[in-house]
Amino acid sequence: GESVGLHLPTLSVQEGDNSIINCAYSNSASDYFIWYKQESGKGPQFIIDIRSNMDKRQGQRVTVLLNKTVKHLSLQIAATQPGDSAVYFCAEVIKAAGNKLTFGGGTRVLVKP
Amino acid sequence: EAQVTQNPRYLITVTGKKLTVTCSQNMNHEYMSWYRQDPGLGLRQIYYSMNVEATDKGDVPEGYKVSRKEKRNFPLILESPSPNQTSLYFCASSSLGQAANEKLFFGSGTQLSVL
């Protein structure tokens, strides 16, 4: 069956270092992928997305890489800050399935001062 | 301020006592959806609505009802709550178009405990 999952449940990062959060997916029919950030006590917040016909997209301090050959997605956060401490979810969207959105299990990022 | 508002934020109830969690958005979004979040399972979709009077089941609809009588409101109804419905619930909305679901706006969540 289709699934979207994450490799590491918790990532501890030194402030100022770069963070890399990984995500594996199994459905090759996915049209695009989204990264969400969820801070404690809040709902998920959109960070960045990437279309399936792209392999890289950059935002402010974040870069998403997509490797369709191995069905792997990553989110890179440059110069990690204390405010980046949160749980990060990847999600896939399949337009043919009515824009069905499937979330991964989440990775917690802890930024150490 | 653009937002999705859920109420209540916390709710403790007993098995079988009907409850409603309200959700309202002020962005004139066509699409609204309910998710539950459980440890290790991520966010799972319960029900969604593409527009007024148009609702569809998500991945885990059993035990839940929804209604979409107005564009801004999308209440989640538990007719007879059971302990396995103890969870953190999120309402979300987005505009439809080429990228429906792409930029969901989430509420702050409702933590429900069913005893």
Side-chain angles (χ1 to χ4, degrees):
Chain A
E2 59 188 61
S3 66
V4 179
L6 297 173
H7 294 167
L8 298 173
T10 303
L11 179 66
S12 188
V13 182
Q14 197 70 40
E15 182 178 354
D17 288 352
N18 297 335
S19 302
I20 300 177
I21 307 164
N22 296 303
C23 178
Y25 66 95
S26 60
N27 196 331
S28 58
S30 301
D31 293 283
Y32 53 93
F33 302 87
I34 310 169
W35 281 100
Y36 285 91
K37 173 185 180 183
Q38 185 177 18
E39 297 176 90
S40 180
K42 297 182 179 180
Q45 182 179 16
F46 173 91
I47 303 174
I48 192 170
D49 64 351
I50 186 168
R51 303 278 174 180
S52 60
N53 61 355
M54 302 169 67
D55 52 24
K56 181 179 180 179
R57 190 172 187 204
Q58 288 184 293
Q60 187 176 12
R61 281 203 306 119
V62 295
T63 300
V64 57
L65 300 177
L66 176 61
N67 186 330
K68 293 182 285 295
T69 302
V70 296
K71 296 188 176 66
H72 183 268
L73 184 72
S74 70
L75 177 71
Q76 300 178 6
I77 306 173
T80 310
Q81 303 169 358
D84 294 327
S85 291
V87 176
Y88 291 81
F89 295 93
C90 63
E92 61 176 354
V93 179
I94 302 172
K95 289 184 177 180
N99 283 316
K100 181 178 174 63
L101 180 66
T102 303
F103 285 88
T107 292
R108 182 175 300 280
V109 172
L110 298 174
V111 181
K112 297 178 291 185
Chain B
E1 180 187 355
Q3 60 184 2
V4 178
T5 304
Q6 295 177 230
N7 279 298
R9 188 70 187 271
Y10 301 94
L11 180 59
I12 301 175
T13 189
V14 296
T15 299
K17 186 176 182 181
K18 180 179 179 180
L19 65 91
T20 299
V21 184
T22 63
C23 174
S24 179
Q25 50 91 6
N26 62 0
M27 295 168 279
N28 201 36
H29 284 164
E30 298 88 356
Y31 182 90
M32 297 187 75
S33 181
W34 276 103
Y35 294 87
R36 61 177 288 173
Q37 186 175 32
D38 303 289
L41 297 176
L43 285 134
R44 294 179 293 168
Q45 190 178 50
I46 303 170
Y47 268 95
Y48 65 95
S49 169
M50 301 290 272
N51 215 323
V52 176
E53 301 293 357
T55 63
D56 280 294
K57 295 178 180 179
D59 295 319
V60 288
E62 294 78 20
Y64 303 95
K65 287 175 59 177
V66 291
S67 69
R68 189 87 183 276
K69 297 178 181 176
E70 306 164 285
K71 197 172 187 178
R72 64 181 292 125
N73 296 322
F74 191 46
L76 179 69
I77 303 156
L78 284 72
E79 294 272 5
S80 183
S82 61
N84 65 11
Q85 292 179 298
T86 292
S87 186
L88 178 59
Y89 291 86
F90 287 101
C91 180
S93 72
S94 71
S95 60
L96 285 179
Q98 293 183 352
N101 253 331
E102 183 170 353
K103 290 183 181 174
L104 280 172
F105 289 82
F106 283 85
S108 297
T110 295
Q111 179 65 57
L112 171 66
S113 296
V114 183
L115 306 178

